[in-house]
Amino acid sequence: MKALVLGSLFTAFISLVVYLTSIIAVHGIRKSISDSNYFLQKPYKLVFEIVMWICGLAIITTGIFIKGSPDWMVIAGGSGIFMVGVFSDFKRNLIIRIAHYFFAIGGFTLLGLSYHFSFGYINYTILIGISALFASAFSDKRIWCLELTLSAEIFIGLFYLAHSIM
């Protein structure tokens, strides 16, 4: 199971990095990662959803197998990231926009808090909170920096925990 969890986390993180690097190289930095869905051409519109689904499923898989019993905070956080992909067309109407923001903020919050409540690493939870504050302070109304910072910290932390606990 350790190889499955580490492999899925690595695959998800690499898919996110390749997606973001490609988007930035072709279109430049936009307002947010989710906003990239609106300037992609028709055959590539599903790419953002697929990347979010891969990331969410990798985190859910980690939550199921990281400890002896499933860690429901990690599973709920991964479900939130997965649902970001489901509600990716957030400019269509207000309900979808609210759901998109709710699942994005809720997923990252649950994953950040899970380091303290599920694994006892309050220092890492505080580090995530402080870096989120710094990233949002320097973001200048573009939340790419915040999203990238949180994504990297979440994946690095889960990769470390899966490697050390399992």
Side-chain angles (χ1 to χ4, degrees), residues 19-20 31-37 48 52 144 147-148:
Y19 173 75
L20 293 176
K31 185 177 178 182
S32 72
I33 295 170
S34 303
D35 197 45
S36 64
N37 193 38
F48 172 74
M52 290 298 104
W144 280 75
E147 292 169 332
L148 289 173

Side-chain angles (χ1 to χ4, degrees), residues 5-161:
V5 169
L6 293 176
S8 66
L9 286 172
F10 182 75
T11 302
F13 186 68
I14 293 300
S15 69
L16 182 65
V17 168
V18 168
Y19 173 75
L20 293 176
T21 306
S22 303
I23 291 296
I24 291 171
V26 174
H27 298 286
I29 295 178
R30 298 291 180 154
K31 185 177 178 182
S32 72
I33 295 170
S34 303
D35 197 45
S36 64
N37 193 38
Y38 289 97
F39 54 85
L40 291 174
Q41 299 298 322
K42 191 155 191 157
Y44 302 106
K45 283 221 178 254
L46 192 61
V47 175
F48 172 74
E49 289 91 343
I50 291 171
V51 168
M52 290 298 104
W53 296 339
I54 289 170
C55 292
L57 289 174
I59 295 169
I60 291 169
T61 303
T62 302
I64 292 171
F65 295 115
I66 198 164
K67 299 192 301 188
S69 62
D71 188 315
W72 295 107
M73 276 189 90
V74 175
I75 292 170
S79 300
I81 302 304
F82 183 87
M83 294 303 286
V84 167
V86 171
F87 294 107
S88 65
D89 197 12
F90 65 94
K91 290 186 179 178
R92 190 168 24 149
N93 66 36
L94 184 62
I95 302 294
I96 292 176
R97 180 176 292 198
I98 290 170
H100 178 84
Y101 291 149
F102 173 78
F103 285 114
I105 293 168
F108 277 126
T109 302
L110 285 172
L111 288 168
L113 290 174
S114 71
Y115 291 104
H116 169 61
F117 292 113
S118 298
F119 304 107
Y121 290 107
I122 183 115
N123 294 339
Y124 199 68
T125 299
I126 292 170
L127 175 72
I128 290 173
I130 290 171
S131 64
L133 288 174
F134 277 118
S136 60
F138 294 113
S139 66
D140 190 33
K141 296 185 181 178
R142 293 184 177 176
I143 58 173
W144 280 75
C145 180
L146 176 62
E147 292 169 332
L148 289 173
T149 301
L150 289 174
S151 298
E153 289 175 343
I154 295 298
F155 278 111
I156 290 167
L158 287 176
F159 195 83
Y160 168 76
L161 287 172

